[in-house]
Amino acid sequence: ILQVASTAPILVVQNTTNEHTDGGAESKVLFGDHAGNALSQVEGSHSGSSDDAKGQFRVSTNNGSGIQLAMSIDDTQLTTFSGDVVVAGTNPKLTIGDAGAEDTMLVFDGNAQDFRIGLDDGTDTLEIGHGTSHGTNTAITIDSSGQVTKFNIPAATVAQASDHIIFLDGGATGAPKAESIDDFLTAIA
């Protein structure tokens, strides 16, 4: 049993090798089972190849075939998870952003195409679109009042459309209202 007791305890694991390679100067804490099998480990090491003090942190677990990287944090604070992420709890919440005046988005990074959902802070709108840059290839835009201000439907689709869209009236009646697609597109243009 190792116990470190103090008003501000610190446990230091230091690699004294003078090396500046990516992953070099590594220090590990390994967690094993009764038979000496590695169950998990945490590792701190040098990040990059410059002669500096930049570090990275890795958490690994054993999947039955050996130790596998589960999460890494690099010197820019970029955190990468190697598997699925679950946000659990009674009222789970995931916040993207820190209330700064900056664009934030969730990017779906595909093999051939990328898509995004995010806040364009310059226009204070929520965008759903193609690509990883706000203001380009936007399919749907919602303003700060919750109004859809852009609903991008290809012209060929609109020209061929003869169906109707049904809306629920936001007024006191709440009655459904049928609109032609042409009238709907004219109203939001």
Side-chain angles (χ1 to χ4, degrees), residues 166-171 174-177:
I166 297 177
F167 296 93
L168 291 178
D169 184 358
K177 179 179 179 184

Side-chain angles (χ1 to χ4, degrees), residues 6-186:
S6 173
T7 56
I10 297 175
L11 176 63
V12 176
V13 180
Q14 179 180 8
N15 184 322
T16 58
T17 305
N18 185 10
E19 61 182 336
H20 303 281
T21 58
D22 193 47
E26 69 278 5
S27 296
K28 299 178 184 179
V29 176
L30 182 73
F31 301 89
D33 69 5
H34 66 282
N37 296 307
L39 299 175
S40 59
Q41 74 180 25
V42 291
E43 174 184 337
S45 64
H46 187 264
S47 180
S49 58
S50 297
D51 185 355
D52 55 27
K54 291 182 179 178
Q56 58 187 328
F57 183 74
R58 297 170 177 249
V59 176
S60 301
T61 59
N62 191 326
N63 67 358
S65 298
I67 291 287
Q68 305 294 321
L69 181 65
M71 180 191 75
S72 63
I73 305 172
D74 72 9
D75 60 274
T76 66
Q77 309 314 309
L78 174 67
T79 303
T80 303
F81 295 92
S82 301
D84 295 340
V85 176
V86 175
V87 179
T90 305
N91 297 301
K93 175 180 172 181
L94 177 65
T95 301
I96 299 176
D98 56 6
E102 60 199 6
D103 292 347
T104 56
M105 68 180 74
L106 180 61
V107 174
F108 298 90
D109 187 8
N111 178 37
Q113 303 293 324
D114 298 332
F115 292 88
R116 70 179 184 286
I117 300 172
L119 168 66
D120 184 343
D121 195 71
T123 58
D124 290 328
T125 57
L126 178 75
E127 288 188 2
I128 300 173
H130 174 256
T132 60
S133 298
H134 282 312
T136 60
N137 299 321
T138 304
I140 300 172
T141 302
I142 303 171
D143 68 14
S144 59
S145 299
Q147 303 295 312
V148 175
T149 59
K150 180 175 184 175
F151 191 69
N152 190 7
I153 299 175
T157 303
V158 173
Q160 295 170 6
S162 59
D163 293 335
H164 287 74
I165 299 175
I166 297 177
F167 296 93
L168 291 178
D169 184 358
T173 65
K177 179 179 179 184
E179 288 275 11
S180 73
I181 291 177
D182 289 337
D183 289 345
F184 169 67
L185 293 174
T186 301

